[in-house]
Amino acid sequence: MARISKEERKNGIISAALKLFSEKGFYVTTIPDIAEKVGMSVGNFYNYFTSKDILAKELVMYISEYLGEKIREINDKPISTKEKTAAIVSMYFAMANERPEMIEYFLRIYLSNREVFGEGCAGMVCVSPFVTEMMMFFNDGVSCGDLRDQDFFSAFGLFMGYLGGMVFLFGEKILPEPLSSYEASISENIYNALRVR
Amino acid sequence: MHCASDRDRPTLIWLQGVTCNGNTHSFLNLPYLPQLLAKYDLLYHPLLPASSTLSEVVQCKRPCDVLVFEGAYDPLMKRHEVLLSELLDYYGMRAGHIIGVGSCASFGGMFKASAPQRNSGLIFDESESSGPLLALKNKVINLSGCPVHPEWLGYTLSMIADNKEIKVDTLHRPLELYSHLVHHGCTRNEYFEWKVDAKAFGLKEGCLFYLQGCRAPMTHASCNRILWNDVSSKTRSGTPCFGCTEPDFPRNDLFHTKTNMSIPEDVPLGVPKRSYLTITGIAKAFHIERLEGKLIDDKTAD
Ligand code: SF4
């Protein structure tokens, strides 16, 4: 049997930890829980991540890089800002369906346990790949004349807050329809709120 | 009236197009002006004592090794009833070096802004190759700046008098003077690095990029390496760089950095915007107490 590389092992831990943290919460989940889920000893786990806090930060960076890369692909396409908006919404909802633990982790752990992420993750440090791509999206939108010039965080909060809120409602099983059925109207709402009038 | 030694010295004629005289005034501040002028046979200058009058110069019979031109070129403009174009043709052909002093002579500058269809620089109209001396462009050295820094003109004239080669950039500006950015040597670089903004003019602390419109990270000039009057520069005194040495000067809104949703439209030269935004986002996460107050206060002095 082929040996599993260190990188693959690390990814295995990341996937397992994401699931456990988002299901049980940050404090209830222990390192032995994670080690058990990936089938390794606790001692060996520490070869990959030296503490639970460090793992928690790596997870945010992992999600942020994943999201950043997806948005970058959209940003680089020769399409209108309106189409880009729809593509980002669609990508985000697809991720919430296929890998709900990623968004759950972001919403439930990263945003609610700020004490864990304070040092080393201050400001945008751990989420910078994702935030940078959103900056590029807004910057390009304004410079091509599609979006209204305004404060970055007002626009960012509107866009991401809306998406996060919908995924949260979906996770709580409050939404009557599947997420995808809201895609078109949500993209339109976001675009209308941001566009030049 | 010429003395015998005059023949050893290059002759210099200083002509003016549409100008405010700013470059001439700047030149008068050159600390070693008398020594520099001693290397030349000054045939004509509008303010300085010279051996010819303007009415003699416009007859186009004088010799000219170095032609200095100040101000924007206007094809309809006359000096002493003679069209500028005729004067430029005659002296330009004969001169070994032609120096466009100031941003108006280099790119059109301030005066082009008021007559965009008519005025231009000697060989550039903003950054487009165009102008009355285009055919002689290999002889032209542009010393952009509003006004030109006296030391830059001093450097150029000294190099020419000493028969030394001056290497130029694509806009014909001496590399020695224009390969640096104004940002280099600014005393506020640490504030730029950590994104601490100066909230007002005149403060000693803070970077002027975001809130005051500083163009130094995209402006080629050595204002912060060769100080003005040997003591200061715009950014040292707390005023933003206006980018006056670049072809797009004067831009609108000189005290304002154009942003798109708080993201600067132009980022420092050579830095991809994406990378700039990432680094900026991270730098902003640091709160460096020392950089947040007045440096002279005890609490932030160490
Ligand atoms: S004030 Fe201008 S020159 Fe100085 S560091 Fe800031 S951007 Fe650079």
Side-chain angles (χ1 to χ4, degrees):
Chain A
M1 195 180 87
R3 247 180 83 89
I4 302 176
S5 71
K6 191 158 183 185
E7 205 44 45
E8 286 168 323
R9 276 271 180 187
K10 211 171 165 180
N11 283 336
I13 297 175
I14 287 177
S15 300
L18 273 176
K19 289 208 173 88
L20 283 174
F21 281 142
S22 52
E23 279 161 19
K24 307 201 325 184
F26 180 74
Y27 289 105
V28 179
T29 306
T30 62
I31 287 185
D33 291 342
I34 304 170
E36 193 193 320
K37 189 147 188 173
V38 281
M40 64 166 58
S41 70
V42 172
N44 193 14
F45 173 93
Y46 284 110
N47 289 328
Y48 294 89
F49 298 98
T50 49
S51 74
K52 199 162 102 174
D53 281 16
I54 287 178
L55 171 63
K57 285 170 199 157
E58 290 247 3
L59 295 179
V60 181
M61 288 197 257
Y62 173 83
I63 296 167
S64 165
E65 268 162 31
Y66 180 90
L67 266 176
E69 224 174 273
K70 295 274 177 203
I71 302 172
R72 184 178 179 148
E73 281 166 23
I74 296 168
N75 278 342
D76 286 346
K77 283 189 185 151
I79 53 177
S80 69
T81 312
K82 190 174 181 186
E83 291 165 309
K84 284 182 188 174
T85 310
I88 294 173
V89 172
S90 160
M91 177 280 293
Y92 195 86
F93 285 174
M95 184 171 155
N97 271 318
E98 288 152 24
R99 302 192 66 181
E101 67 280 6
M102 298 244 261
I103 296 192
E104 290 275 314
Y105 183 87
F106 208 82
L107 297 176
R108 288 174 199 268
I109 309 293
Y110 177 67
L111 294 181
S112 337
N113 298 282
R114 301 299 300 143
E115 67 285 1
V116 178
F117 299 93
E119 215 173 283
C121 260
M124 291 186 196
V125 173
C126 291
V127 289
S128 88
F130 156 63
V131 178
T132 298
E133 283 314 320
M134 288 308 289
M135 285 180 156
M136 291 300 286
F137 166 79
F138 288 129
N139 172 70
D140 296 350
V142 175
S143 81
C144 73
D146 287 343
L147 300 185
R148 185 163 42 92
D149 191 15
Q150 57 168 308
D151 174 70
F152 168 74
F153 283 103
S154 311
F156 180 73
L158 180 132
F159 201 135
M160 298 325 294
Y162 194 174
L163 294 189
M166 289 304 285
V167 171
F168 183 82
L169 294 178
F170 174 68
E172 294 295 310
K173 309 210 177 351
I174 292 173
L175 291 186
E177 304 294 334
L179 263 181
S180 55
S181 63
Y182 299 94
E183 253 173 53
S185 61
I186 288 174
S187 335
E188 199 179 325
N189 285 347
I190 294 178
Y191 186 70
N192 281 340
L194 295 173
R195 77 183 164 87
V196 166
R197 259 163 287 187
Chain B
M1 192 190 75
H2 294 268
C3 48
S5 66
D6 279 355
R7 271 186 284 278
D8 307 332
R9 299 183 301 164
T11 50
L12 191 152
I13 290 180
W14 180 304
L15 292 177
Q16 292 182 311
V18 198
T19 180
C20 68
N21 265 331
N23 300 287
T24 280
H25 281 278
S26 172
F27 192 44
L28 295 180
N29 283 314
L30 184 68
Y32 54 92
L33 187 62
Q35 292 89 324
L36 177 71
L37 288 177
K39 294 183 178 184
Y40 282 92
D41 181 7
L42 187 60
L43 296 192
Y44 178 73
H45 186 285
L47 259 66
L48 289 164
S51 56
S52 308
T53 60
L54 184 58
S55 59
E56 286 167 336
V57 166
V58 297
Q59 289 169 22
C60 290
K61 288 179 184 148
R62 305 274 124 173
C64 177
D65 298 316
V66 180
L67 172 65
V68 177
F69 187 80
E70 170 182 18
Y73 170 71
D74 180 339
L76 304 180
M77 189 178 191
K78 287 179 177 171
R79 284 285 177 213
H80 221 281
E81 299 304 312
V82 179
L83 277 173
L84 265 186
S85 61
E86 278 175 43
L87 297 174
L88 281 174
D89 267 358
Y90 179 84
Y91 289 113
M93 283 295 284
R94 274 149 192 85
H97 298 274
I98 303 163
I99 308 176
V101 285
S103 294
C104 295
S106 302
F107 310 121
M110 218 55 178
F111 288 99
K112 181 194 154 60
S114 62
Q117 310 309 332
R118 225 162 79 182
N119 290 349
S120 74
L122 292 177
I123 56 168
F124 286 105
D125 184 352
E126 295 193 359
S127 53
E128 303 258 304
S129 284
S130 158
L133 297 185
L134 201 53
L136 305 173
K137 68 173 192 235
N138 291 338
K139 296 191 208 175
V140 175
I141 295 172
N142 282 326
L143 297 176
S144 58
C146 192
V148 66
H149 192 307
E151 301 272 355
W152 307 346
L153 182 52
Y155 161 86
T156 308
L157 288 173
S158 300
M159 291 287 279
I160 292 173
D162 295 345
N163 260 323
K164 295 204 175 118
E165 191 199 351
I166 300 173
K167 293 213 162 70
V168 294
D169 66 12
T170 50
L171 295 169
H172 287 242
R173 303 174 297 189
L175 282 169
E176 187 72 30
L177 304 169
Y178 293 86
S179 52
H180 283 75
L181 301 178
V182 176
H183 191 55
H184 297 160
C186 177
T187 47
R188 299 163 190 270
N189 275 341
E190 194 183 4
Y191 293 92
F192 179 85
E193 210 173 317
W194 301 109
K195 302 295 153 209
V196 179
D197 302 318
K199 305 278 182 306
F201 296 143
L203 295 175
K204 289 202 173 62
E205 297 83 3
C207 167
L208 306 155
F209 182 49
Y210 282 87
L211 300 182
Q212 318 297 340
C214 188
R215 293 287 299 170
M218 29 322 239
T219 301
H220 297 88
S222 32
C223 297
N224 272 318
R225 293 195 312 131
I226 306 170
L227 298 175
W228 287 78
N229 295 328
D230 288 340
V231 289
S232 199
S233 70
K234 274 209 178 64
T235 62
R236 288 193 183 202
S237 64
T239 306
C241 164
F242 294 155
C244 76
T245 53
E246 296 299 331
D248 61 357
F249 177 80
R251 301 156 54 90
N252 288 332
D253 249 355
L254 292 180
F255 294 100
H256 183 71
T257 288
K258 166 104 180 68
T259 54
N260 300 323
M261 296 222 193
S262 331
I263 297 153
E265 179 151 285
D266 297 326
V267 298
L269 278 186
V271 182
K273 190 176 258 185
R274 202 170 247 124
S275 317
Y276 178 78
L277 295 179
T278 303
I279 292 169
T280 308
I282 292 172
K284 275 192 185 146
F286 293 90
H287 285 288
I288 302 166
E289 210 184 323
R290 188 171 58 81
L291 300 180
E292 280 166 6
K294 282 214 177 277
L295 290 172
I296 208 159
D297 288 349
D298 284 347
K299 61 179 170 44
T300 51
D302 41 78

